[in-house]
Amino acid sequence: MEWLTEFPSMDKESLRALKKAIDGGFREFTRGYGESVELLFDPIKYFLIQSEHFLTNTPWPIIMGLICLISWIASRNFKIVIGTLITMVLIGYFNMWNDTMKTVSMTFVCTMLSVSMGIPIGIIMSRYNRLQRVITPILDVMQTMPSFVYLIPVVMLLGIGKVPGMLAVVIYAIPPIIRLTNLGIRLVDRDVLEAADAYGSSAWQRLRNVQIPLALPTIMAGINQTIMMALSMVVVASMIGVQGLGQPVLKAIANQYFTLGVFNGLAIVGIAIIFDRVSQAFGRRLQKHQEIVHGN
Amino acid sequence: MNWQSAEVLAHIDHIILSEGYGCDAQLIPGDTMPTFTSMNEKAQPDVAPELWVNSLQEPLDIAVAEGRLVIAAESLSEGGVEGWWIPQYLADAHPEIKTIEDALAHPELFPAPEDDSKGAVHNCPSGWNCQISTENLFKAFKAEDKGFVLVDTGSAAGLDGSIAKAYERKEGWLGYYWAPTSILGKYVMFKLDEGVEHDKEHWEKCTGTIDCEDPKPNAWGASKVFTVVTSQFVEKASVAMDYIKHRQWNNSTVNKLLAWMSDNQATGEEGAEFFLENNLDIWREWVSEEAAQNIKKSLNITG
């Protein structure tokens, strides 16, 4: 009756052989194609390096002015600009400017990539139910798979540094924007769509002028989640050699430097809030515009 | 402990203590600092089978002096080996590279991941003590003037991955590593000579500290690797203590065992069983005759 108490599992030898075969296969792949895969990511690497160079090598007052200007243009809200300014001053004062700039650069590029890929995917996904059934489990895997599981093969393929770090961040940060874009568009009232059809709008017009504006609050929530998740991955990304605020956090964890950890953690929180408030204010302004156009 | 040599040793302890001495032993995974802190503050867990004490010499000395922790034994008889390594194939192709100075003369052999025009020295994981010493030695050997950058690897997984990547593609690699480890069992590496003797005084004053103003070239000394137990454990488990005091192995045994584990994708437990089955002569000396019989019986070893 042993099979009742002990699950009848694959015997040790064949399990080991299976694991070895898969590992060996992957190793062959890295040997054969590693370099070409790496070349594929070269433009992104160049972009990541340039963006970091720009943020770290430009004198800080210019960067600070630029960030405040962007937050003003996007939000037109003095409170947000002043909040941004205070956060940046505090970060600089506590000697975290350089690390913060590296993190901002990384997060900015990753968020841009996630949003620019995620929204189109979400839109397509909202159109085809079958596609939704395929993509949803993939998104589940992306969000729950412990990142180190796929980071090991990624590091073997691409080495350590910015590109594998970016992959880790994007894989983790892109699902919310896809999900919420899909959801937002699907939640648009059927009657409104019928009305749009009745006025003879093309599919593109219907999407651009009806579905996206009405789904915008949900999409903005998705962007918010994407930003937050990108920043929360900073520490994990730093475990494969991405520079920035994650490195001192790791140092703090390893040595139990409580204060160092909290300072850098708060800096991550600070930039997350700036990113979020600015993008949300921008989203709200966007919605106001649309309402005026619609004459409400 | 969450690195391979410590993991397998913990499993060996687990088997020996539970099968040989009938103790109710439990394994608790943990990194060096959390484990040490928890043992120091909470007296939990009881035993750290393989503690690399270089990084926590001071707090350990205090804990021992105040009677909270006891150093039971030197678990690695030769101590750990640290240093800067290059892959063996590179050392074979360039036999003139023997020392760190030699390697630093060739930045073109060790291209940096984000800037091909520079050479890379792969740093020790963030927050480990070796990060400080590697940084200081990087300065001391004037590596930056020689066209090198220090690459932060972030974690042990990142460091291992960078070695594996270089090795699979037969690329150049230069950086910090330590033995005994499965990586060095699996990927044969050549340890560069520092070209100077280990200067303990300068190491403690400067090379090993964060605010070292003017680091001089220095060599790694052998790292002391201890088994540390809580003082409560000494009181309540004197039989087990006898075993732990005698348990000691050397680097080549460990490297061989770890390489076997990597080749066979073995877990720490399987590695421990493999070791106990095949190295009777080594571990028999650690345990009492009675315990040895019990263990042999439980693992079906004859002899």
Side-chain angles (χ1 to χ4, degrees), chain A residues 12 16 19-20 23 27 30-31 34-35 38 45 49 148 155-162 238-241 243 247 250-251 254-256, chain B residues 33-34 37 113-114 122 126-128 131 151-155 157-158 161-162 164-165 168-169 171 186-187 260 263-266 270 273:
Chain A
K12 260 187 193 171
R16 192 171 288 164
K19 288 188 205 162
K20 273 173 89 171
D23 270 30
R27 209 160 286 147
T30 35
R31 252 176 235 165
E35 247 148 295
E38 211 170 328
K45 181 159 115 184
I49 293 175
F148 258 89
V155 167
M156 280 195 73
L157 213 53
L158 300 170
I160 52 168
K162 292 191 178 64
S238 71
M239 297 185 102
I240 47 169
Q243 300 203 325
Q247 295 281 359
L250 285 183
K251 215 177 273 185
N255 294 314
Q256 318 215 308
Chain B
M33 267 328 271
T37 311
E114 274 160 23
H122 288 79
S126 294
W128 294 18
Q131 191 187 19
V151 176
D152 272 318
T153 50
S155 63
S162 70
K165 180 203 167 208
E168 294 301 341
R169 285 196 225 151
E171 292 170 350
K186 200 155 114 191
Y187 301 117
W260 177 85
D263 282 345
N264 292 291
Q265 298 240 336
E270 288 165 339
E273 281 170 17

Side-chain angles (χ1 to χ4, degrees), chain B residues 8-9 12 16 247-249 253-254 257 260 269-284 286 299 301:
Chain B
V8 68
L9 188 58
I12 291 173
I16 289 185
R247 174 173 54 45
Q248 196 180 53
W249 52 1
T253 315
V254 184
L257 176 60
W260 177 85
E269 197 179 347
E270 288 165 339
E273 281 170 17
F274 177 81
F275 172 79
L276 292 173
E277 279 164 25
N278 292 290
N279 297 279
L280 193 60
D281 46 324
I282 297 179
W283 63 265
R284 187 178 248 163
W286 300 345
L299 292 170
I301 310 172

Side-chain angles (χ1 to χ4, degrees), chain B residues 176-188:
Chain B
Y176 171 90
Y177 217 78
W178 70 102
T181 36
S182 64
I183 285 279
L184 293 190
K186 200 155 114 191
Y187 301 117
V188 185

Side-chain angles (χ1 to χ4, degrees), chain B residues 51-292:
Chain B
L51 209 57
W52 291 59
V53 296
N54 272 13
S55 57
L56 32 86
Q57 194 73 57
E58 262 175 65
L60 181 68
D61 287 345
I62 296 170
V64 170
E66 291 175 5
R68 285 192 300 273
L69 298 179
V70 175
I71 296 173
E74 221 170 323
S75 56
L76 271 176
S77 52
E78 298 149 338
V81 181
E82 295 174 272
W84 288 11
W85 308 68
I86 58 173
Q88 186 67 46
Y89 54 80
L90 206 73
D92 292 341
H94 300 272
E96 73 279 8
I97 299 180
K98 289 266 179 268
T99 65
I100 291 181
E101 291 281 353
D102 296 343
L104 291 179
H106 294 282
E108 76 282 359
L109 289 177
F110 311 100
E114 274 160 23
D115 187 353
D116 287 341
S117 63
K118 291 218 163 102
V121 176
H122 288 79
N123 202 348
C124 159
S126 294
W128 294 18
N129 224 44
C130 45
Q131 191 187 19
I132 297 165
S133 43
T134 304
E135 261 164 34
N136 281 331
L137 287 177
F138 186 81
K139 262 189 259 167
F141 283 106
K142 305 208 167 34
E144 197 171 347
D145 304 338
K146 293 171 184 158
F148 275 82
V149 288
L150 193 59
V151 176
D152 272 318
T153 50
S155 63
L159 182 62
D160 293 357
S162 70
I163 293 180
K165 180 203 167 208
Y167 221 98
E168 294 301 341
R169 285 196 225 151
K170 297 280 173 278
E171 292 170 350
W173 191 92
L174 165 65
Y176 171 90
Y177 217 78
W178 70 102
T181 36
S182 64
I183 285 279
L184 293 190
K186 200 155 114 191
Y187 301 117
V188 185
M189 305 279 276
F190 177 80
K191 182 173 177 290
L192 295 171
D193 193 75
E194 288 89 350
V196 286
E197 290 291 310
H198 174 59
D199 178 352
K200 190 155 186 283
E201 195 186 333
H202 183 70
W203 190 278
E204 276 164 14
K205 214 175 64 210
C206 191
T207 318
T209 58
I210 281 187
D211 311 307
C212 179
E213 294 270 310
D214 178 28
K216 285 188 297 193
N218 204 338
W220 266 274
S223 307
K224 293 240 174 274
V225 180
F226 290 144
T227 302
V228 174
V229 301
T230 60
S231 45
Q232 285 174 10
F233 180 77
V234 179
E235 285 159 26
K236 73 184 181 197
S238 56
V239 217
M241 197 52 200
D242 261 356
Y243 152 67
I244 285 181
K245 267 190 196 150
H246 288 104
R247 174 173 54 45
Q248 196 180 53
W249 52 1
N250 60 25
N251 276 347
S252 72
T253 315
V254 184
N255 274 341
K256 259 185 256 163
L257 176 60
L258 296 183
W260 177 85
M261 286 171 64
S262 295
D263 282 345
N264 292 291
Q265 298 240 336
T267 60
E269 197 179 347
E270 288 165 339
E273 281 170 17
F274 177 81
F275 172 79
L276 292 173
E277 279 164 25
N278 292 290
N279 297 279
L280 193 60
D281 46 324
I282 297 179
W283 63 265
R284 187 178 248 163
E285 293 177 7
W286 300 345
V287 297
S288 68
E289 192 48 40
E290 192 196 335

Side-chain angles (χ1 to χ4, degrees), chain A residues 19 22 73 141 157 178 197 208 230 245:
Chain A
K19 288 188 205 162
I22 297 176
I73 292 173
V141 172
L157 213 53
I178 299 181
D197 284 339
R208 211 187 95 89
L245 291 167

